[in-house]
């Protein structure tokens, strides 16, 4: 019987509003198929000028496309609605270092 990889876990996006900003929790997989949902939500929050902390501690995996989209969203929000990211996702940290984009991600300790 052929070895079948488990299907990727869909991306779940949770939100909590605390101290004047949005705490967004990502669970599952961030890749080219799931990232558009994140982009749409961050776009709405940017339009409302909400600062966002993205908690990636429950993110199971991220691929290059997911990382590129995450970096693009951070850069888009820099001027009007800053986005910071927690450091507690080893897969994200390793990929960011491999791709040379770690310095582009504004990190914050998990709350």
């Amino acid at each position: 019987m052929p070895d079948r990889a488990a299907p990727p876990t869909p991306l779940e996006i949770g939100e909590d509003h605390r101290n004047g900003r949005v705490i967004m929790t990502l669970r599952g997989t961030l890749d080219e198929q799931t990232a558009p949902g994140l982009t749409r939500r961050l776009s709405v929050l940017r339009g409302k000028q909400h600062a966002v902390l993205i908690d990636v501690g429950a993110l199971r995996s991220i691929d290059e496309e997911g990382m590129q989209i995450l970096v693009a969203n951070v850069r888009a929000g820099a001027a009007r609605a800053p986005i910071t990211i927690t450091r507690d996702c080893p897969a994200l940290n390793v990929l960011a270092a491999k791709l040379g984009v770690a310095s582009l991600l504004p990190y914050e300790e998990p709350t």
Side-chain angles (χ1 to χ4, degrees):
M1 190 160 188
D3 216 11
R4 292 190 183 172
T9 308
L11 183 65
E12 297 176 20
I13 302 173
E15 283 184 27
D16 186 23
H17 296 257
R18 280 187 253 157
N19 301 322
R21 71 177 178 174
V22 176
I23 311 300
M24 182 178 284
T25 304
L26 304 184
R27 290 180 184 84
T29 300
L30 182 59
D31 59 20
E32 72 177 319
Q33 292 182 353
T34 61
L38 176 62
T39 296
R40 281 190 298 276
R41 187 62 196 136
L42 287 171
S43 179
V44 168
L45 294 172
R46 271 195 312 273
K48 295 179 179 180
Q49 297 186 4
H50 286 295
V52 178
L53 170 64
I54 301 176
D55 183 343
V56 295
L59 199 61
R60 294 190 62 201
S61 65
I62 181 170
D63 67 7
E64 288 186 26
E65 291 83 6
M67 180 65 73
Q68 290 170 354
I69 289 170
L70 186 60
V71 169
N73 276 288
V74 166
R75 292 177 126 189
R80 294 182 357 166
I83 297 172
T84 53
I85 300 168
T86 60
R87 288 188 175 273
D88 53 349
C89 178
L92 183 141
N93 297 333
V94 168
L95 184 59
K98 177 183 169 188
L99 297 175
V101 298
S103 65
L104 301 176
L105 297 174
Y107 289 108
E108 182 176 325
E109 294 306 313
T111 57

